[in-house]
Amino acid sequence: MTAAMACAAWGTAPAHAAISITETDADSFRYTTAPGWDFYGSQRDPVTNITSIRPLELTASSPGSDGWLRLTEVAQYQNASATYKTPFLPEEGLEIIFDYATYDGSSSTGADNIGFILRDGLSGTGYVSIYLNEFGGLSTQTHSPSGTCYVPCGHKPQSVVVRGASSVNRPLLESVQLSTGAFATTLGKISPVTPAAARTVRITISPASSAVPPTVTVEINPNDGTGFVKVIDALELTVAQNGLVPTTFKLAFEGYTGYETNKHEVRIKSARTLKALALPVPTLGQSTLGVLAVLLALLTLPTLRSRFKN
């Protein structure tokens, strides 16, 4: 048995790629290209109800690093998504820090939202979605994944909302309204926020496995000297509420407008997986015991031979 065969019996670490994006990377959205991302944009005509594909805009001046990814324009019924092509493993966890701006809307606050999405790395469906939800239509359990929720549904404008996995009909897991209560004096509202007065969001996804679901922590820095304010603290994504943890994740951003509008823009300050994976610890199954037996026999064979000669 070769050394390679012996190692194979013990197991090898699964293939994965650590996430590492900084402000100086093209993939931070600050430059004129972002090669590590897949973009999708659409717009529905409210009269004909026909949906057409539209490009997303990187606003950087060439070859500057002053840009943003603009998810939506001041136009009705736009959808947009940007998905990072590189998957990572749940066991690694993730911390992402990004700036956001939402402004020039059709009303005093505009609509609808900016979302950070953790996708199933294989199917592409959402596992958990964290929304900066100006309009508040996602802040009620009765919101349909494809429908619309207005005031009678009890929506909460200016909320940070966590929705669950697509596989279990995107349940409402948490909703925190910033314009009332403890956050009213420190954070106030999600919008309007111009690029010149951009706010910073830090989202932490704890390392997870099939046995240990991840937690979600959301913090917002209004960049007025307050520092990061914790809005959602270690929300556990239980299997009972949110289904099984996927084998891999991909990170993504989304932006939407509805009847009301806003420019929705993001750019990344940093994104990184939290820890490297250790080699798996082998269990003493039959294959492992067989390898040990062969290795022991090879080690003792010269000793046995010498005894027969004597």
Side-chain angles (χ1 to χ4, degrees), residues 190-207:
I190 289 169
S191 66
V193 174
T194 64
R199 291 183 168 192
T200 304
V201 178
R202 177 165 60 200
I203 295 174
T204 306
I205 310 294
S206 68

Side-chain angles (χ1 to χ4, degrees), residues 67-269:
W68 296 75
L69 170 63
R70 181 170 295 163
L71 293 162
T72 67
E73 302 286 352
V74 180
Q76 292 180 321
Y77 306 111
Q78 289 194 340
N79 290 351
S81 68
T83 303
Y84 197 53
K85 299 174 185 177
T86 303
F88 65 98
L89 296 173
E91 291 88 344
E92 296 174 290
L94 180 75
E95 178 194 77
I96 183 165
I97 302 173
F98 62 92
D99 293 332
Y100 85 86
T102 171
Y103 61 103
D104 284 355
S106 56
S107 66
S108 60
T109 57
D112 276 338
N113 60 71
I114 294 172
F116 171 77
I117 318 299
L118 205 58
R119 299 194 189 282
D120 183 316
L122 294 178
S123 69
T125 57
Y127 172 70
V128 65
S129 305
I130 298 103
Y131 292 103
L132 305 175
N133 192 201
E134 304 110 301
F135 186 74
L138 294 168
S139 64
T140 173
Q141 186 66 57
T142 56
H143 179 87
S144 165
S146 59
T148 303
C149 176
Y150 293 103
V151 176
C153 294
H155 79 304
K156 300 175 182 177
Q158 306 300 319
S159 293
V160 176
V161 177
V162 181
R163 307 286 307 205
S166 301
S167 61
V168 290
N169 206 31
R170 299 177 71 235
L172 176 65
L173 302 180
E174 185 65 278
S175 176
V176 179
Q177 192 170 22
L178 301 186
S179 55
T180 62
F183 296 112
T185 56
T186 54
L187 296 177
K189 295 181 178 181
I190 289 169
S191 66
V193 174
T194 64
R199 291 183 168 192
T200 304
V201 178
R202 177 165 60 200
I203 295 174
T204 306
I205 310 294
S206 68
S209 67
S210 58
V212 180
T215 62
V216 174
T217 298
V218 181
E219 301 164 275
I220 298 177
N221 186 347
N223 292 323
D224 62 357
T226 302
F228 278 104
V229 178
K230 193 169 288 185
V231 178
I232 295 173
D233 187 9
L235 174 68
E236 185 176 4
L237 306 180
T238 65
V239 173
Q241 283 185 306
N242 206 46
L244 296 175
V245 178
T247 55
T248 61
F249 285 138
K250 286 185 177 181
L251 60 94
F253 288 97
E254 292 181 352
Y256 300 92
T257 62
Y259 179 79
E260 295 186 20
T261 64
N262 252 344
K263 290 179 182 175
H264 292 105
E265 298 178 350
V266 293
R267 63 182 184 187
I268 294 174
K269 297 177 82 71

